[in-house]
């Protein structure tokens, strides 16, 4: 698999899921940098400190990707999304919900946000490839 994101941020409070997803992304060599946070608040802090200070380096939506779980303690995925859309230049970051939730209410709620994909766990090679293709298609349509 050749596609490369510059940065991928995994946001999930399950350490094992983060470990497995990080290993998969490293094995597929789809990201130059993989970052891991345990909840929405930690992710927001990370983004503010490391991504949003250098927004001129964001060259395309696929440059930075967030794989976001919905059901987390402290700040859940939707709480993260509410706060994230208030961040300047947040529209330059691609977000995919990566979750076990197939709850129809969560699916409907997700449509309110600017997310690029809703992926059911577990993450695998095919899902990563499909996400990359969707992001490429979306960027060509813009």
């Amino acid at each position: 698999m050749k596609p490369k994101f510059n940065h991928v941020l995994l946001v999930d409070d399950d350490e094992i899921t983060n470990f497995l997803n990080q290993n998969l992304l490293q094995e597929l060599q789809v990201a130059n940098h993989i970052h891991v946070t345990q909840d929405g608040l930690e992710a927001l802090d990370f983004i503010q400190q490391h991504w949003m200070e250098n927004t001129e380096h964001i060259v395309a939506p696929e440059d930075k990707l967030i794989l976001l779980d919905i059901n987390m303690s402290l700040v859940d995925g939707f709480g993260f999304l509410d706060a994230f859309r208030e961040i300047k230049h947040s529209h330059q970051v691609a977000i995919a919900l990566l979750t076990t939730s197939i709850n129809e209410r969560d699916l409907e709620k997700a449509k309110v946000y600017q997310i690029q994909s809703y992926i059911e766990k577990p993450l695998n090679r095919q899902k990563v490839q499909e996400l990359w293709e969707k992001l490429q298609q979306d960027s060509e349509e813009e």
Side-chain angles (χ1 to χ4, degrees), residues 50-113:
H50 300 284
W51 285 6
M52 292 304 154
E53 62 192 25
N54 294 316
T55 55
E56 68 274 5
H57 297 298
I58 299 176
V59 294
E62 66 272 8
D63 185 56
K64 289 184 170 48
L65 170 68
I66 298 171
L67 294 173
L68 177 66
D69 188 23
I70 294 175
N71 300 311
M72 296 181 289
S73 57
L74 295 178
V75 176
D76 69 3
F78 292 120
F80 168 87
L81 290 168
D82 287 335
F84 183 72
R85 67 179 164 189
E86 300 299 320
I87 296 174
K88 185 178 179 182
H89 301 293
S90 62
H91 63 281
Q92 295 176 304
V93 177
I95 299 176
L97 293 180
L98 178 61
T99 183
T100 57
S101 177
I102 55 171
N103 184 318
E104 190 63 38
R105 190 176 50 201
D106 286 342
L107 292 168
E108 285 302 311
K109 191 172 182 179
K111 292 178 183 177
V112 174
Y113 300 95

Side-chain angles (χ1 to χ4, degrees), residues 21-62:
N21 289 341
Q22 185 174 15
N23 283 345
L24 174 67
L25 295 174
Q26 287 171 338
E27 177 185 316
L28 297 176
Q29 300 178 351
V30 297
N32 294 322
H33 308 282
I34 301 170
H35 315 279
V36 177
T37 57
Q38 299 289 317
D39 63 65
L41 186 58
E42 186 181 342
L44 289 166
D45 288 343
F46 174 85
I47 289 164
Q48 288 280 32
Q49 291 178 17
H50 300 284
W51 285 6
M52 292 304 154
E53 62 192 25
N54 294 316
T55 55
E56 68 274 5
H57 297 298
I58 299 176
V59 294
E62 66 272 8

